Amino acid sequence: WAYGDVNVTVNGCTFADYRGIKMYAEDKAKTLVSQEEVVRQAQAKANDIMAQAQVKNYNGAPALFIDGKVYPPMFATIRTIDDNTSHADEDYYRHLGESGIKVFFLICDTEWLKPGAFKLFKEEAELLLRAVPDAYIVMRIGMHAPPLWCKENPDETLTYSDGKKKSVFLFTESYRAEYTDGFYSFASEKWRADAAEALKQTHKMVSECDFAERVIGYFFAAGGTSEWYYPTPMCYTEKTNFCDSGGFRTIYNGLDFPDVYGDLSPAFRRSFSQYLTEKYKTNEALQAAWGQSDVTLDNPTIPDYAARYHIYEADYDALHAEVLSNAPDPEAPSNENCVGQFLNIEHRRDVFDFFRALHRATAESVIYFGKVVKSLDRGKVTGAFYGSAGCTRFYDFAQIGSTDHILKSGVIDFLASPSVYENRGPGGIAGQRQNFDSFRLKNTIFVVEDDVRTHMEKRIWRSFYDLYTLEDSLGVMKRDFGRNLSQNLYSWWFDQILGGKRYKVPEMYPVLERMQQLAHEAFSKDRTTASEIALIYDEESYHVISDLANQELIEYFRYYEVDKVGAPIDRYLHNDMTYDEMPDYKLYIFVNTLYLSDEEREQIKKKLQRNGATALFLYGSGIINPDRSPMLCAENITDLTGIKVEQTDGIYFAKYRITGENELTRELPDDEIYGDYKYTLVYNSSSYFGKRRELTPVLFPLLAANDADAEVLGVFLDSEKDAIVRKRADGFTSIYAGTKNLTADVVRAIARGAGCHIYSSSGDVF
C-alpha cells in the first residue's frame, strides 16, 4: 500500500488525482506510519488547501459561500479564445479584481472537442491569478460532442422524418464548427457518457495544476451558443419562421424539405420510452391515454407535423386570414388536432407527452453532469443554462419545462439565462426569463448572464441598444445591478468582445468597485422578500398552447408591464404553493396556468384561502384538467376561478374598455382602449436588424366571463362580452381577465384594490 497508488477519499473525491495530496500522502507513506494515520492527515491536508464552495441560506436567500465567506454578485466572464489563441488581457483582469470582482467564469472546452483547449485555459487561469491572486474560478466547460463523433454515431444525433441530417453551424464563445452530419441529441446516453469521460479528464487535469484550489465549480455548456438549445427546429413547414430557429448562421440547405419533423433518433426514442414508462407504467394505460391501440411503451410513435398544427400554423392561418369589407368575419383555424391556439389534448396527448419528454431529456443531461462533478468533489458548485421561458422558442429549443425537476435534483447549485434581448436600452428594463423566486425555495441560485452592451460596441450594436455615451452605458449597468440586488439575483458581467472591450473603460472601474461595496452591504441586510404580489406560472402549460400565445401570455406581459406596476413582484411556479416556506401574498396573478390537475387546483385554492387573498386569472387559466372529461373546456376555468366562463369560437381582438364604478376602475379612464400593447416592442438583436414588433393580440377561441353574480370591470369591444370580472369565491377574491395582456395601470389598480402598497404610480420601471 505504501508504495502503490494512494486513494484517499474525502467527500466522495479520490485524492490520488490531486498532485499536492498525492505527493503529501506518498511522503507520509515512506515513514511507514499506519494507513489510518496517512488517511487522516491527507484528509486534513485536503480540507486545508482545497477551496470548498457551496450555496446556502444567508439572511433569508441563497448565497454563494467559499470557505465560509459569502460572495455576492457581481462576477465576470470575458471571451478570450479565438480558435487556438488566447487574447486574455492581464491588465483588464487586474482592474476588475481591484474593483472587487473575485469570481471569474473562465471558458474551457474539453480535449475531446478541441485538442489543446486545456492549455489555453491553463494559461488564462495562471494569467488571471497573477493579476488577481485571490480570485476564484468557475469553469465554463463545453460539453459539446465533436462533429466527427456525430458522423460516427448517427443514432445519437437529431433525426428528421425525411431521413436527412440537418447541417448546422455551431457558434460558441470559444468554438466554431460545421456539423454536416447532424447535431448531437441531448437525450443521447452515449453522448452523456462520452462527454462525462471528457469532463473527468478535465477535472483530473485541473487537479494536477498548482491553482487547483482556486477552481470552485463547473458551469456546463452545450447546444447552440452553449445555451442548451437545438440549433434547428423540431418541425419544418412553409408556415414556420425559419429565420428565428435560435442559432447564428444556421444552415437550412434551402427550404426543400417542408413538412419534415423530428426527433426520430434512436437516442430520443429510448428516452421517450423511459419517460412514458415512468408516467403510464403499462401499455394499456398509454394506449388509453393516446387513443392508439397499437402504441407501446417500448415503441412510441413520434407525432408528425400535422399533429403539431397548433404550435405555429394555427397562428399563421389566423393572422393571414383574408378579411374583406363585405365578407363575413373569419373563422378560427381548427382541425382535429387543435382548438384554436390550444392543442386538442383530448385526442393528441401524444404531442404533449412528446414535448414534455423532449425538454425533460435536456434536464436529465444537466443533472447527469452535475452528478459527475459531485461524485468527484462535493466542494464544487455546478450550474448550466436551462429554463429560458422567453426570448426563445417554447417548443423547438427543448430547454424549458423541467426547471423544477433540476432544482429538486440536489446536484445543480445554479441555473442561468441572459436577460431578454428586448427593452434593454436606456429607460427600459432587461427582463428575466425565469421564475427566479422558485429557486430560493430549493436553495438554488438564479444567475443572470448580464451581457450588457455599452458604447464600446461596434457602431451598429450601439444603435441596436441606443447606447452612444459613457453616461448611457453606466445608466443601464446601474439599472441592471440594482435589479439584481432588489430581486435577490446573482449575475456575471459578460464581455463577449474578443479579448474584452465592453467594460474596459477607466471610468467604469470605480463604478464597478462601488457596486461590489453595495452588494456586500446589501447582503448583510435582511434578504427575505417584501413583495405583496406574486406571478404564478406553470411549466406543463408551455406545451398546450401555441408558441405565439406563450409569448403573449408570458413574455410581453412580463417584459413590458409587470416591472412598471410600481410595486415589487415575485415569480413562482404553481408547484411552489405547497411549500410552507413560500410567503403568503395579497395578490396572486396566474399567468399561464392552463394545465392543472384536480390535486393542483385544490393546492392553489388552499393557498389562496389562507389569508383571503385576491387571485387574478389570465386568459384560459385552468382550461385543461387531465383528470376530467372533457379535458379541455370552459367549465374547467369555472372550476378553478369560481367564475362562469363560456367559450366562443372565432377570431376576436383582445381590445376592451374599462367599465363600472368602483375602487378598481375609478382611477382608470373609461375611454381608453386596452388589450393591445401600449409600448414599442423593441428587438435589441441582430436577428431582427432594424425591426420592431408589430403585434395585435387576437383571441381564438374567445374565453369570456358570463356570470350574472360577478361584477363587470371591463368589456370586450368587438364581442361585447365581459373581459374582466370580479367575484367573491370560496374564501378568496377571484378576478378573471379573458385577455392575454394587462397593462401596468390595470394591474396597479387591481393590486391597490387587493390591499397592496403601491410605491410608484408613474409607470417608470420599479
Side-chain angles (χ1 to χ4, degrees), residues 576-608:
D576 301 322
M577 300 181 82
T578 62
Y579 280 73
D580 292 336
E581 296 82 1
M582 180 181 175
D584 291 332
Y585 293 85
K586 294 181 179 179
L587 173 63
Y588 298 83
I589 304 175
F590 293 86
V591 181
N592 77 319
T593 49
L594 307 169
Y595 181 101
L596 295 171
S597 66
D598 281 340
E599 181 180 0
E600 290 168 337
R601 291 162 192 262
E602 290 305 311
Q603 292 168 348
I604 288 172
K605 292 176 183 178
K606 182 178 180 181
K607 181 70 169 177
L608 296 175

Side-chain angles (χ1 to χ4, degrees), residues 104 126 145 153 315 320 345-346 366 485 553 564 605 735 751:
F104 293 81
E126 291 171 343
N153 294 276
D315 286 312
H320 289 80
I345 196 167
E346 194 85 40
V366 171
L485 284 193
L553 277 169
K564 298 183 179 183
K605 292 176 183 178
I735 298 176

Side-chain angles (χ1 to χ4, degrees), residues 8-18 46 50-52 139 141 143 195-207 218 220 368-382 411:
V8 180
T9 300
V10 180
N11 292 332
C13 176
T14 301
F15 280 99
D17 292 340
Y18 287 89
M50 301 305 294
Q52 299 292 305
M139 296 186 68
I141 184 166
M143 308 305 297
E197 288 304 311
L199 175 61
K200 292 175 184 177
Q201 179 191 23
T202 304
H203 180 273
K204 185 176 187 300
M205 295 168 73
V206 169
S207 71
Y218 290 79
F220 311 120
Y368 182 91
F369 296 132
K371 288 179 178 178
V372 169
V373 169
K374 296 295 186 181
S375 70
L376 295 171
D377 189 348
R378 298 295 299 185
K380 299 287 187 285
V381 291
T382 56
V411 295

Side-chain angles (χ1 to χ4, degrees), residues 602-619:
E602 290 305 311
Q603 292 168 348
I604 288 172
K605 292 176 183 178
K606 182 178 180 181
K607 181 70 169 177
L608 296 175
Q609 292 164 351
R610 274 175 50 167
N611 62 336
T614 296
L616 170 58
F617 299 97
L618 295 191
Y619 176 78

Side-chain angles (χ1 to χ4, degrees), residues 211-253:
F211 57 79
E213 70 275 9
R214 310 307 298 182
V215 177
I216 61 163
Y218 290 79
F219 180 72
F220 311 120
T225 59
S226 293
E227 295 176 81
W228 287 90
Y229 61 77
Y230 287 113
T232 53
M234 283 295 147
C235 190
Y236 291 86
T237 77
E238 294 178 351
K239 299 172 183 177
T240 300
N241 180 3
F242 292 101
C243 297
D244 184 25
S245 66
F248 299 113
R249 290 180 53 200
T250 302
I251 301 171
Y252 291 113
N253 302 327

Side-chain angles (χ1 to χ4, degrees), residues 674-717:
Y674 289 93
D676 231 333
Y677 298 102
K678 286 188 174 183
Y679 307 103
T680 301
L681 284 79
V682 182
Y683 279 121
N684 297 136
S685 170
S686 59
S687 301
Y688 304 94
F689 177 64
K691 293 183 180 179
R692 297 292 184 266
R693 286 192 194 265
E694 299 294 338
L695 288 176
T696 299
V698 294
L699 307 172
F700 62 100
L702 179 68
L703 298 167
N706 183 18
D707 194 323
D709 297 325
E711 181 182 13
V712 179
L713 308 177
V715 175
F716 285 120
L717 296 176

Side-chain angles (χ1 to χ4, degrees), residues 106 304 374 438 474 520 566 713 756 758:
L106 298 193
D304 63 16
K374 296 295 186 181
S438 287
L474 293 178
H520 281 277
L713 308 177
C756 303
I758 302 299

Side-chain angles (χ1 to χ4, degrees), residues 144-161:
H144 310 280
L148 180 60
W149 184 94
C150 293
K151 181 177 182 179
E152 294 175 344
N153 294 276
D155 287 353
E156 311 301 320
T157 59
L158 186 59
T159 304
Y160 288 87
S161 55

